[in-house]
Amino acid sequence: MPILALVSAIAFLHSTAGQGSSSLEGTWEGKLEVAYSGSSKDPASDERIKAAYAKSPFRIRINQQRASVYFGGEEVKPGLFQYQAYMTNAVIFASSAGEDRDGRWVETWNFTLTEKISDTMIACFSRVVNNLDLGETKDAGKFGLLAVGEFHRTPN
């Protein structure tokens, strides 16, 4: 029994262990529907965000232990995404910081994926942003977004 526990622990900690014949490697594309946008109390702003996500596809390239994410044809956070897979599921995430006209900000993107069938996966996307210099009274400076949909395997 201790050997089984040790093997199970090693398999869980090794990201490619137990992956079996199915693989998430390759290029995946799909549009995500915004389920929640906490970016503004302005309904028109929420509708613009939903329209942008509905119009522009996401593309994710998974190659061994690396992932690249593209939105609207442009790579997002080049070189920052980390990839963790276990069997038919994976998490792809990145955090970054910067400055704009509102001051300093920090944000995190997260994709949680699972294989539905060999060429389709279910995707849950979350994004949270904190504009550090806007203070606690400005709602628009701190927000989250949740979107869901399916990605389909595309030719490389």
Side-chain angles (χ1 to χ4, degrees):
M1 190 67 138
I3 292 174
L4 179 59
L6 178 61
V7 170
S8 296
I10 291 170
F12 182 77
L13 293 174
H14 192 277
S15 62
T16 59
Q19 217 165 3
S21 61
S22 65
S23 174
L24 297 178
E25 292 218 3
T27 301
W28 300 85
E29 189 169 296
K31 292 182 182 175
L32 300 177
E33 182 177 334
V34 175
Y36 169 78
S37 173
S39 64
S40 172
K41 299 209 185 278
D42 174 16
S45 176
D46 284 344
E47 290 307 313
R48 284 191 300 274
I49 291 168
K50 289 179 181 181
Y53 277 77
K55 179 179 146 189
S56 297
F58 280 92
R59 188 171 68 247
I60 296 177
R61 286 193 181 133
I62 300 170
N63 183 9
Q64 296 182 18
Q65 292 300 308
R66 302 190 96 116
S68 301
V69 175
Y70 301 80
F71 180 62
E74 294 200 27
E75 187 172 9
V76 179
K77 302 182 184 317
L80 294 181
F81 277 96
Q82 296 181 45
Y83 173 76
Q84 181 71 40
Y86 183 73
M87 297 177 68
T88 59
N89 291 10
V91 178
I92 298 171
F93 60 96
S95 292
S96 62
E99 288 190 43
D100 60 17
R101 70 183 190 295
D102 292 327
R104 297 173 305 137
W105 55 265
V106 61
E107 75 173 336
T108 300
W109 286 38
N110 179 73
F111 294 86
T112 304
L113 311 168
T114 191
E115 182 182 67
K116 183 175 181 180
I117 57 176
S118 63
D119 63 349
T120 304
M121 65 179 161
I122 298 167
C124 296
F125 170 66
S126 67
R127 178 184 179 203
V128 292
V129 177
N130 189 337
N131 284 282
L132 303 170
D133 295 332
L134 291 182
E136 292 185 18
T137 59
K138 294 220 172 194
D139 291 333
K142 298 164 188 347
F143 65 90
L145 179 132
L146 300 172
V148 295
E150 290 185 353
F151 288 174
H152 300 278
R153 192 184 304 271
T154 63
N156 287 339

